[in-house]
Amino acid sequence: MTTREPAATEEFDLGRLLAERGAERYELHARHLNHQLPRMLHTIGFDKVYERAEGAYFWDADGNDYLDMLAGFGVMGLGRHHPVVRKALHDVLDAQLADLTRFDCQPLPGLLAEKLLAHSPHLDRVFFGNSGTEAVETALKFARYATGRPRVLYCDHAFHGLTTGSLSVNGEDGFRDGFAPLLPDTAVPLGDLDALARELKKGDVAALVVEPVQGKGVHEAPPGYLRAARELLHAHGALLIVDEVQTGLGRTGDFYAHQHEDGVEPDLVCVAKALSGGYVPVGATLGKEWIFKKVYSSMDRVLVHSASFGSNAQAMAAGLAVLSVMESERIVANARTTGELLKARLSALVDKYELLSDVRGRGLMIGIEFGRPRSLKLRSRWTMLQAARKGLFAQMVVVPLLRRHRILTQVSGDHLEVIKLIPPLIIGEREVDRFVEAFTEVMDDAHSGGGLMWDFGKTLVKQAVANR
């Protein structure tokens, strides 16, 4: 009897693959993924090739640095490739843990839950999923089951995710169009307690889900609203779900944004994004003891809500490393002080530039809003842009910030004249200076009434009209 030798296999070499085919990145995306993304990036001049990243910066092949004021939509709270998180992931891989057996209890999920709950004094238990959307979906299910009611209220202009359940509590029609029918949930205006009370009187409301600071437009819940909403909800047997997926883990200068207001004790809190350290997706739904005990009411229901990759060792290690860095490097305090400095520097420009109408937000979550100018020359140009599509002026500001000043930002939602700044929480005065100086130059150009910025505006107008 002879033993067959195993067939020789070529060793996988990621570095060689990227060296050989990395230059095809935009063509590959156009051919195999979302074909509109490379088209859009090319149109606005965002089709850059970034070679590496560290902290709050990217670098291109020529060695030019780019300041990141977007943080991967808030994922990169500690910036990119933080050494403590990198080491934790290397360590957990080297440990070769018996991960995801599904019929044991590994230590890392319990340790991460313990750490998160230490920052959440009114909550008792944690469910780990894989994203912010999953965290919201978990909260929706738990609230419905715990109350025995079908309907969840949400706020106009809210964003809670894009799966069917979370889309049902998404306040932006552009995301919802074409995906109906959704769950029978109902929008109320942010801050409107009377509207909330009217819906609660119908007796079928399980919960209100709310962002303490809305990502779309950067609108903060009015002072006292969250506390009053919770009292009103509880009086009608309903729950308060606070979505901290973007605002949590220090973004607004406190560990959670709802902690800026005394007396707010949510029943369920959703976190994700920055908990990942920018490496391994992780989401968490924190809640009251009684809610979890009602959902998991017997051994027969032990898997009634679960996630195949939930609580995996890499995600848990990343989360533990992130929380450790936040404590040792005083990340929350830095977000508060640096955010105050950035907001103050930008607010000082409102009276200087007639196109700049407002600067708002908390910590390192800041919205810059543009509005109709007073002077006739600028007003006619503004009117032209608005007639084509609302939001084009904000895009006109975002583009030169990247093209001329190598600063990455975003327009804060469709049809909004608002730029949102959500940089890594590690930035300091140097990054504030760089952004404010660049923004000032862009505003000077816009108010001069000519130049490349308004020429690009014409390109955007043509594109908007062509897409109608």
Side-chain angles (χ1 to χ4, degrees):
M1 182 176 178
T2 59
T3 303
R4 180 178 296 177
E5 292 292 328
T9 58
E10 186 176 350
E11 184 178 349
F12 175 68
D13 188 333
L14 180 63
R16 185 175 67 188
L17 179 64
L18 289 173
E20 290 175 351
R21 303 200 60 191
E24 301 174 41
R25 61 190 69 192
Y26 283 91
E27 292 82 358
L28 287 166
H29 208 111
R31 191 158 59 245
H32 302 302
L33 299 167
N34 179 350
H35 63 289
Q36 294 290 6
L37 177 60
R39 181 185 176 204
M40 180 271 288
L41 294 173
H42 177 72
T43 299
I44 64 175
F46 270 41
D47 51 345
K48 305 290 184 182
V49 175
Y50 302 110
E51 294 289 336
R52 65 183 183 91
E54 183 178 347
Y57 292 90
F58 311 108
W59 285 267
D60 63 21
D62 297 322
N64 299 309
D65 69 342
Y66 294 76
L67 175 59
D68 178 18
M69 297 294 281
L70 179 57
F73 297 140
V75 168
M76 304 292 178
L78 300 183
R80 283 167 169 78
H81 305 302
H82 193 286
V84 173
V85 185
R86 279 175 58 93
K87 182 179 184 303
L89 289 171
H90 281 290
D91 288 347
V92 77
L93 289 172
D94 290 342
Q96 294 185 302
L97 298 176
D99 194 25
L100 298 180
T101 66
R102 288 306 172 206
F103 288 99
D104 74 338
C105 293
Q106 289 288 312
L108 294 181
L111 291 169
L112 180 55
E114 182 180 70
K115 277 281 190 182
L116 277 174
L117 291 170
H119 293 282
S120 319
H122 306 294
L123 302 171
D124 308 296
R125 293 184 180 271
V126 183
F127 174 86
F128 288 114
N130 304 286
S131 67
T133 295
E134 281 192 34
V136 171
E137 292 277 3
T138 299
L140 298 181
K141 286 180 67 177
F142 281 27
R144 283 189 163 104
Y145 193 85
T147 63
R149 298 174 177 177
R151 199 158 57 103
V152 175
L153 306 178
Y154 61 99
C155 294
D156 292 332
H157 310 301
F159 185 93
H160 298 292
L162 297 175
T163 52
T164 301
S166 58
L167 188 60
S168 299
V169 291
N170 192 317
E172 174 55 50
D173 288 340
F175 288 113
R176 297 165 63 98
D177 288 349
F179 296 106
L182 300 171
L183 302 179
D185 298 321
T186 305
V188 294
L190 179 67
D192 190 334
L193 292 170
D194 291 336
L196 176 60
R198 284 194 297 272
E199 294 299 326
L200 288 170
K201 286 178 182 177
K202 297 176 183 179
D204 63 345
V205 172
L208 167 72
V209 57
V210 60
E211 301 157 277
V213 184
Q214 290 187 328
K216 182 179 171 62
V218 193
H219 291 290
E220 189 174 356
Y225 173 72
L226 293 178
R227 184 175 62 251
R230 179 184 180 273
E231 293 172 357
L232 193 55
L233 287 158
H234 280 206
H236 289 82
L239 306 181
L240 174 63
I241 303 170
V242 175
D243 182 346
E244 296 268 9
V245 169
Q246 187 164 129
T247 55
L249 276 76
R251 169 61 56 191
T252 65
D254 215 329
F255 191 86
Y256 295 120
H258 73 262
Q259 292 174 337
H260 290 288
E261 184 178 324
D262 292 335
V264 180
E265 298 181 13
D267 300 291
L268 293 157
V269 171
C270 305
V271 297
K273 287 190 181 287
L275 187 61
S276 68
Y279 283 103
V280 186
V282 58
T285 306
L286 294 76
K288 298 283 191 181
E289 175 100 357
W290 74 268
I291 297 173
F292 274 66
K293 286 196 169 180
K294 194 159 187 179
V295 172
Y296 299 109
S297 57
S298 68
M299 285 191 289
D300 289 342
R301 293 181 58 81
V302 69
L303 295 177
V304 72
H305 185 72
S306 60
S308 295
F309 283 91
S311 300
N312 72 80
Q314 290 87 355
M316 300 298 96
L320 283 164
V322 166
L323 295 182
S324 175
V325 171
M326 288 183 66
E327 293 172 6
S328 63
E329 298 186 11
R330 295 177 53 78
I331 296 297
V332 177
N334 183 71
R336 183 166 55 250
T337 56
T338 305
E340 288 171 354
L341 175 63
L342 178 57
K343 185 179 175 183
R345 294 277 301 277
L346 291 171
S347 296
L349 301 177
V350 173
D351 291 337
K352 180 178 179 182
Y353 297 115
E354 58 181 297
L355 283 161
L356 184 57
S357 69
D358 190 27
V359 175
R360 57 179 176 267
R362 277 188 182 270
L364 285 172
M365 186 173 181
I366 295 173
I368 304 170
E369 184 166 6
F370 307 101
R372 187 171 185 266
R374 298 180 300 276
S375 61
L376 182 60
K377 181 173 69 172
L378 288 177
R379 200 185 316 152
S380 62
R381 293 171 180 265
W382 174 268
T383 302
M384 173 193 70
L385 291 173
Q386 296 293 296
R389 191 175 194 273
K390 187 175 181 181
L392 291 188
F393 182 80
Q395 192 66 60
M396 280 173 53
V397 175
V398 163
V399 168
L401 282 173
L402 182 67
R403 284 183 173 180
R404 297 187 209 167
H405 303 281
R406 304 194 309 277
I407 299 175
L408 182 62
T409 58
Q410 70 170 128
V411 177
S412 180
D414 201 24
H415 299 283
L416 282 182
E417 298 290 3
V418 181
I419 292 175
K420 180 170 65 176
L421 306 180
I422 46 171
L425 306 183
I426 58 171
I427 69 165
E429 188 170 354
R430 181 181 71 158
E431 287 76 24
V432 170
D433 289 344
R434 176 168 171 173
F435 179 81
V436 174
E437 288 169 10
F439 183 74
T440 300
E441 285 189 31
V442 172
M443 285 291 95
D444 284 340
D445 186 32
H447 286 75
S448 71
L452 294 174
M453 185 171 173
W454 288 103
D455 288 341
F456 178 69
K458 295 175 184 176
T459 300
L460 289 179
V461 167
K462 290 177 182 177
Q463 186 73 25
V465 171
N467 283 335
R468 284 181 173 174

